[in-house]
Amino acid sequence: MELFFLALLVVLMAFALGSGFPVAFALPGAAILTIGLAAGTGYLFSTGTDAFFDSGGPAQWLSAGVTNFRGIYWEAERDTLIAIPLFVFMGIMLQRSKIAEDLLVTMARLFGPVPGGLGISVVFVGALLAATTGIVGATVVAMGLISLPAMLRNNYSVPLATGTIAASGTLGQIIPPSIVLIILADQLASAVDQAGSLRQTLYKDSTGELSMPSDFSVVSTSAGEMFLGAFLPGLVLVGLYMLFILGFALMKPKAAPAVHEEGTFTREFAGKVVITLVPPLALIFLVLGSIIGGIATVNQAGAIGAVGAMVMAGYRLKEGEKGAYSPAILAILALLGLAVVIGFFGEVNIKRIESSQDVLSLILALIAVSLILLAIFWSGWRTLKLEDTLRGVMVETAKTTSLVFIILLGAAMLTSAFRAFGGEHLVKEFLQGLPGGFWAQFLIVMLVIFILGFFLDFIEIAVVVVPIVAPILLSDPGANVTAVWLGVMIGLNIQTSFLTPPFGFALFYLRGVAPAVVKTIDMYKGVIAFIALQLVALGIVGFYPQLVNYLPNRSSLLSETAPPPKNPRLQYCMETLVYEDFSQNGDGVLAAIEKAEGVDMSYLPEDLQDDLAEGFEKAKEALPLMLAIREAENAVAAASGDFKPIHTNVRALERDARRIDERIKELQVIVNRSGEGAVYTVAQGERAQTQIDTLQLEHDAILAEIPENWEEVYGEFSKIQKAETTARQTYRRTVDQAYEPILELKAILADAETVAAFGPELEELKAQVPQLEPEAAVEAIAAMRSKVGEAEGTSDIRKGLTEARKIMRSRQPNAEEALAEIDKSIAALQADLAWRQKAADELLPVLQEYDAAIVNNIGLRQQDRLPNDMALDVAACLSGHRDVSLSF
C-alpha cells in the first residue's frame, strides 16, 4: 500500500501543477492530502494511522517538512537563504532604474559593426545583468522590448533573435550571484550530512573498520563556494553563445548582418560607454570580488550589492540634472578615503585604542563611514521620491522572496511525504541497481532533471529532486565528486527549464513583449540551438571538473583561514608535489643536509645535539621513503586492474544482500508483534514470515554468487593497499621528526635577546626576596618563573626558580636557601646565553640556509599554511575527482 500512496502523491502533485494550481499550494497540498488519506485508510481498514507508512506516522511526517524548513532560521550555519532578498532587491533596483536598458542600447551600438554584433551584444549584456540582477523575467522582458525590435529592423533571423534573447536572459541562473545557486547550496548542505553518514556506513560494512579516514569524507559546500564554482562554467556558456552567433553570422551573413551606425565611435560615445559599463562592472567586482577574496560572506556581499544598486539608481533617476552624480561621487571619495586610512594606519579597531595615532585613525575612519552613510541615505531618499522607485522595488522584492520561501516550505513537506512512503528507498535501490556505477546513476538523474524542466520551474526541481538524489550521488566513493561540482551541474541542467517548451518561462516572458510578427513556433525553433549549447556546456563541465572545483579550492587555500598543511585532505596532492620536487632537487636537498650536519654543534646542550642529529638522519630517510610511496602507489595501480571488476561485482552483491537484510528486519518486527490482541493479526504475522522465508532464500542466493576465492583476492589486494598506506604514514611521521628539531632550535635562538633581558630582572628579584614577606616572595618568584617559561628552551633556568618557590612556600621559609637557588638560575642563564649567542652567530646562518632547502618539501607539513605557489598547485590537484572506491 505504501507504493499506492507514493504513486497517489506524485499523481496529485502532477494534476495540481498541470491544472494551473499555484505551485506554493500544490506541493504541500499533495503532501497533506496523501498523508491524510494514508492515515485515514490505516485507521479504518488496518492496524492504525501509521499502518501504510514506510516508517513513523502521519504526525511525524507532517511536522517534518515544517521542522526542516524552520531549521534554516535556527541553525547558525544555514543562514544562506538570507541572501535571497538582498540579491532580488539589487536586481529589481537596477531594472527599475533603467540601468539595464542603458547597457543594452550602448552595447548594441558598440558591437553593431561585428557580424552578428547585435546578438553578441545581447549575450554580453545578458551576462552583465546576470552578474548584477539574476532576475530572469525582468532581463528577458527588458531585452525583448529593447533589442528584439532593433534586431528585427536589421533583418535578423527571427528564430536567432528570439533564441538569443531568451537564452541570454537565463544566464542569471548560473552566473553568480544566483538565487538558484543559493537554494542549491542550502539543499546540498543537508544532503552532504546524509551522504557522509551513508559513506561512513558503507566503509564500516565493507572494511569492518569503525572509523573512516577523514580524507574520504564528503566535503560540504556553501553559497560562496557555489558562486565561485559556477563562475567559470557561466563564462564557458557565454563563450559558447557568442561563438555560435558569430559562426552563424559568418555562415549566413543575411540572417545576422553587421550594423554600421554613423557617428558611433566618437569621444562622446566613448564617455557614454564608460559611464554605462563601469558602474555595473564595479558593482560586480565589489559583490563577487568580496566573496572570492574572502572579505565578505554571501549575505554581506548581498548587502553590498543592494546598497550599490541603490546608489547607482540614485544618479540614473536624475540623469541630465544638476548634481545627479553627487551621492555616487561622495560614496566613491569616502571609500577611497577609508582605503587610505586602512593603508596608512592598518586595521582600525575601536577596542584597540592605545595611542594618539590610533585615535586619529579612528576619527578619520568614522568621518569616511559617515560620508558613506550620507551617500546611501541620500541615494535612498532619491529612489523613494523619484517615481516611487524604492517602494515599488521593496514590494516586488517582498513578493519574490515570499514566493521562493513558500515554495521551499511546500517542497520540504512534499519531500517528507515522499520519504514517508519509502520513495527515497525506492530511488536509492533503483539508482544503485543500475549497471555502470556512479556515472550511470548520474546520467539518469540528469536526464530526469532535464525532462522535469519541460514541466516544472527551477525552484521545484531544486528543492524536490536534489534532497532525494544528492545524498545518493555524493555518498558514492567511485566518483568521489564534490558537492560544489554536483550543484553546478544540476544548476546548468536546471537552466534549460527556462527554454524547454511547453512551459519554458523565458519563452512566456518573451512572448508577452514580442510583436505579433514573431510567431511562437519561431521562438521554439530559436531556443533549440541554445538548449543544445547548454547541454554541450554541461558535458564540458562534466568532463573537466576543474572548471568548477578550482576557484573554491584556490580561495580556500589562499584565505586567512586556509587549512594547515597537516590537513588530511591535502596530503595526497602535497606528496605528489613533493615527489616532483625531490625528483628535480633531490641532490640539492641531500647536499644541504650534509652541509648542516657537518657544522660544529658540540657547544649546544646535549639534548639539542641529539635531537638535531636524529633530525638530520630522518631528513636523509625522506627521499627513499618518498620513492617507497611511489612504488607502493604503482603496485596498487597494477593490482587494481584485475581486482576492480571483482570488487565492484562483490560490493554490489553485498549491497543487495544488505538491502534484503533490512527488509527482513522490518518484517521480523511484524512477526514478533503479531497474535491475538497484538498490534498485528495472526494472518499478518504469517504473511510476513512467508515473505521472510522467500527473502532469506533470495539473500542466500545472492551471497552464493560471490566468488569462492573472494576473501583470498581481497586479502592480497588489501596487503598491497595497506603497504601504500603504511608507506605514506611512515613518510609523514619521518619528515615531522626531521623538521621539528629545526623549528625548536630556531625558536630558541630567536629568543636570545629575550633571555638576555632576564639577567637584570633575576638580580633585582634576588635583592627583593629577603625584604618580602614569604607569600609576596612566592608571588614574585612565580611571576618571574612564568616570564622565563615564555621563552623557548629555558627549562634549566627555571629549575632554580622552581626550587626557590618551593622553599618560600614551605612551612619554614628560608630566604638564604631561596637566594642560593636563584643564584643557580642566574648561573644557568649565563651558561645558556654563552651557547645561544655563539649559535646565533655561527649556527643560525647555516640553519637558515638548510631550512630554505627543505622548508617546502621535508618541512612542508610543519608550516602554518601552504606557500602561495604550492597552494595553487594543490588547488589544481584537488580539483579533479579521485576514485577511492577500492578503499571501501
Side-chain angles (χ1 to χ4, degrees), residues 417-478:
F418 189 80
R419 288 174 174 153
F421 300 115
E424 191 172 27
H425 295 306
L426 287 176
V427 172
K428 183 178 179 181
E429 289 175 11
F430 169 72
L431 291 177
Q432 292 184 342
L434 292 172
F438 170 85
W439 293 107
Q441 301 171 18
F442 177 73
L443 289 174
I444 290 296
V445 169
M446 288 290 106
L447 180 62
V448 169
I449 290 175
F450 179 73
I451 293 172
L452 288 176
F454 283 78
F455 310 102
L456 298 180
D457 190 9
F458 71 95
I459 298 179
E460 294 95 89
I461 298 173
V463 298
V464 173
V465 178
V466 172
I468 295 169
V469 301
I472 301 169
L473 296 176
L474 290 173
S475 65
D476 194 317

Side-chain angles (χ1 to χ4, degrees), residues 196-213 216 477 651 654 658 714 887-888:
S197 299
L198 290 173
R199 189 176 287 192
Q200 174 68 52
T201 303
L202 177 62
Y203 187 82
K204 180 181 177 182
D205 292 341
S206 301
T207 65
E209 300 288 338
L210 295 178
S211 61
M212 180 180 70
F216 292 161
R651 292 305 185 217
E654 290 177 343
R658 283 196 298 271
Y714 178 70
S887 298
F888 284 75

Side-chain angles (χ1 to χ4, degrees), residues 122 188 237 293 341 457 490 519 659 698:
V122 168
L188 286 169
L237 194 56
V341 171
D457 190 9
I490 293 174
K519 298 179 180 178
R659 194 179 299 133
E698 186 179 344

Side-chain angles (χ1 to χ4, degrees), residues 685-800:
E686 291 174 351
R687 285 198 300 271
Q689 185 60 53
T690 302
Q691 288 180 282
I692 289 174
D693 296 338
T694 303
L695 289 171
Q696 190 63 54
L697 292 174
E698 186 179 344
H699 175 272
D700 296 341
I702 289 173
L703 293 182
E705 295 181 35
I706 296 176
E708 294 181 1
N709 64 339
W710 162 245
E711 294 296 334
E712 180 183 350
V713 171
Y714 178 70
E716 292 176 358
F717 184 79
S718 294
K719 288 180 182 177
I720 299 171
Q721 202 171 44
K722 190 174 181 179
E724 181 190 357
T725 302
T726 302
R728 293 187 184 278
Q729 292 174 343
T730 304
Y731 168 80
R732 294 167 192 172
R733 186 168 55 250
T734 300
V735 294
D736 288 348
Q737 293 170 351
Y739 196 69
E740 282 168 359
I742 302 300
L743 287 177
E744 180 185 3
L745 186 54
K746 283 174 62 180
I748 289 173
L749 297 181
D751 283 345
E753 293 184 4
T754 304
V755 173
F758 294 152
E761 295 181 29
L762 285 171
E763 293 289 349
E764 184 179 350
L765 177 66
K766 182 180 175 182
Q768 288 178 350
V769 168
Q771 303 172 11
L772 298 173
E773 293 294 326
E775 290 184 6
V778 168
E779 290 180 5
I781 294 170
M784 188 65 209
R785 180 180 176 276
S786 298
K787 192 172 185 179
V788 170
E790 292 175 359
E792 294 289 338
T794 56
S795 57
D796 290 342
I797 303 172
R798 294 178 69 194
K799 286 179 182 177

